[in-house]
Amino acid sequence: MPIIKRNFINPVSYPADFEATDQAAQQPRIITHSRCFHCTVLALIVMGLVVAVAGHVTADSNAAPSSHRRMLTLLKQIADQTAETNSYLGEGMAHQLRRHLANLPVNASDLNRWRIHTELGEAELRLGNEAAAIDQLTQAGKLLPQLKGQLSPLMANQTLFRLGVAYLRQAETQNCCPNQIRMQSNPDSCILPLQDGAIHTQQEGSLQAITYLTEVLRNTTVGLPLHLEARWLLNIAYMTVGGYPEQVPKRYLLPPKTFQSTEEMPRFTNIAPHLGLDTFDLSGGAIIDDFDNDNYLDVVVSTWDPAGQIRFFQNNQDGTFSERTEQAGLLGLYGGLNLLQADYDNDSDIDILVL
């Protein structure tokens, strides 16, 4: 597995494939609002091989070392390929299944249609296309009566369970992702245990989920993994519409003590919207340090999405933050599930390792 990396001990030591000049080895310093942002970014990219390339942050991409520009080119190529090739985030599988469904012969068996609708529904849900997922899984559910004797009861109930999950996901998107639907943010949204401020205002998704999850519970044996999963989600669904615990059928109720901690724990409040840190993305890294040497802590965040931008938030020295990603010269640095900051090359400046 080839590895290309920067020599942390000697900043001017580069792999033979990259340029190494005294000018390139020096940390370029850029000014952001009369302060200096001084940072080296290393990207560790896993895609069949591991590549760790040192890149210098600079406001002028043309002035950056060729190694940095080539790293940006590589990251852009990976980002562009994500939509088709990434097994988790890409639409390649969904595109294939959509074509397969569109070209399905009129005389195709119900079992084959059920399989394609189910797989496409799961693919759409993984991509966040809840409405399309619900449509496909509903079509799969309508075929269940014709498939008695061909599908095991477990597989039939899994279809209904997936449909319940899809509706619950739709409810979450509609009520817990205000940035996506231009609703006012609610600090209590979707933080367990759900309290008054977290009750869904758009309840259709959760109510539909309750219907399908209840049916799964009626059709499955107590103790089976699918039964336990459906029971847990049913209680959560009732919470989202303000019906827990009173409206939960007693035989499926998880008592309130289930959600109580044996230790006193403070309740965390989401204040990110008020601080200028309210971002919407996949899981990723987050580090806090004084990156611009003004004695105030700044924030850098990343996302697991290979096409997602690493972002820098500068401390305004009043408790709030402003995004300065472009000013910091970080545009084009994509992806990263984890971030680790340290002075990797012993030059007394903070560097960032992106994994």
Side-chain angles (χ1 to χ4, degrees):
M1 181 168 58
I3 298 178
I4 305 173
K5 65 180 181 179
R6 179 179 182 182
N7 186 323
F8 295 140
I9 304 302
N10 181 3
V12 300
S13 176
Y14 282 77
D17 191 40
F18 290 87
E19 291 183 0
T21 65
D22 291 340
Q23 181 179 3
Q26 295 174 357
Q27 289 277 3
R29 186 177 293 271
I30 66 169
I31 305 299
T32 60
H33 292 268
S34 300
R35 302 187 186 93
C36 298
F37 185 88
H38 205 176
C39 177
T40 299
V41 176
L42 297 107
L44 181 65
I45 308 157
V46 181
M47 199 179 79
L49 54 84
V50 177
V51 184
V53 185
H56 297 273
V57 173
T58 174
D60 183 1
S61 60
N62 293 325
S66 64
S67 58
H68 180 73
R69 296 195 300 271
R70 293 171 69 177
M71 178 178 68
L72 295 183
T73 299
L74 177 60
L75 290 173
K76 181 64 165 58
Q77 291 173 353
I78 294 173
D80 291 342
Q81 295 169 3
T82 294
E84 283 297 327
T85 63
N86 190 288
S87 300
Y88 299 97
L89 304 176
E91 295 195 27
M93 179 59 70
H95 286 159
Q96 180 179 344
L97 289 168
R98 290 168 191 154
R99 289 193 296 268
H100 194 176
L101 182 62
N103 296 325
L104 204 61
V106 177
N107 61 347
S109 68
D110 289 335
L111 182 61
N112 196 19
R113 290 183 182 277
W114 169 85
R115 183 178 293 110
I116 296 175
H117 282 305
T118 300
E119 292 180 1
L120 181 54
E122 291 180 341
E124 297 286 11
L125 189 60
R126 186 169 58 249
L127 294 171
N129 303 328
E130 291 95 351
I134 289 171
D135 178 63
Q136 294 301 324
L137 292 171
T138 298
Q139 295 301 319
K142 290 179 179 179
L143 292 170
L144 293 179
Q146 294 96 281
L147 294 175
K148 287 184 177 180
Q150 299 183 61
L151 283 181
S152 68
L154 177 60
M155 296 182 72
N157 282 305
Q158 284 177 336
T159 301
L160 300 177
F161 177 79
R162 293 186 182 106
L163 190 50
V165 170
Y167 271 113
L168 203 54
R169 283 279 301 276
Q170 184 182 60
E172 182 183 29
T173 298
Q174 291 175 340
N175 294 274
C176 307
C177 305
N179 288 346
Q180 297 299 96
I181 54 177
R182 302 187 183 281
M183 291 177 59
Q184 185 175 0
S185 179
N186 183 343
D188 289 327
S189 293
C190 298
I191 297 179
L192 290 175
L194 302 181
Q195 298 183 348
D196 292 342
I199 303 303
H200 289 183
T201 56
Q202 300 186 57
Q203 298 189 351
E204 178 62 23
S206 290
L207 293 175
Q208 289 283 3
I210 288 172
T211 298
Y212 287 105
L213 293 171
T214 301
E215 186 172 355
V216 171
L217 289 169
R218 289 173 181 159
N219 298 336
T220 54
T221 303
V222 175
L224 286 178
L226 185 62
H227 187 94
L228 296 174
E229 292 172 4
R231 185 180 178 187
W232 169 263
L233 290 181
L234 180 72
N235 281 261
I236 299 298
Y238 270 108
M239 285 186 189
T240 65
V241 296
Y244 177 89
E246 294 84 4
Q247 298 177 21
V248 183
K250 289 186 178 180
R251 61 185 180 278
Y252 305 138
L253 175 65
L254 294 175
K257 66 179 182 180
T258 304
F259 301 93
Q260 296 174 356
S261 175
T262 56
E263 301 293 334
E264 187 67 26
M265 285 289 292
R267 182 173 176 83
F268 292 92
T269 301
N270 180 15
I271 61 173
H274 308 296
L275 303 183
L277 295 172
D278 192 21
T279 64
F280 184 88
D281 221 317
L282 300 178
S283 61
I287 51 177
I288 301 174
D289 215 315
D290 180 15
F291 293 104
D292 56 3
N293 299 321
D294 65 352
N295 297 319
Y296 285 85
L297 295 177
D298 311 300
V299 179
V300 176
V301 297
S302 65
T303 168
W304 178 57
D305 185 353
Q309 172 68 52
I310 291 176
R311 304 170 71 176
F312 167 63
F313 295 89
Q314 188 176 51
N315 196 314
N316 295 326
Q317 302 185 11
D318 61 0
T320 65
F321 296 81
S322 296
E323 184 169 2
R324 296 286 186 266
T325 301
E326 182 176 1
Q327 293 89 332
L330 297 177
L331 291 183
L333 292 175
Y334 301 132
L337 182 58
N338 291 297
L339 298 174
L340 295 170
Q341 81 273 30
D343 180 13
Y344 291 104
D345 55 2
N346 298 320
D347 66 351
S348 300
D349 291 307
I350 300 174
D351 310 312
I352 300 175
L353 176 65
V354 185
L355 298 173

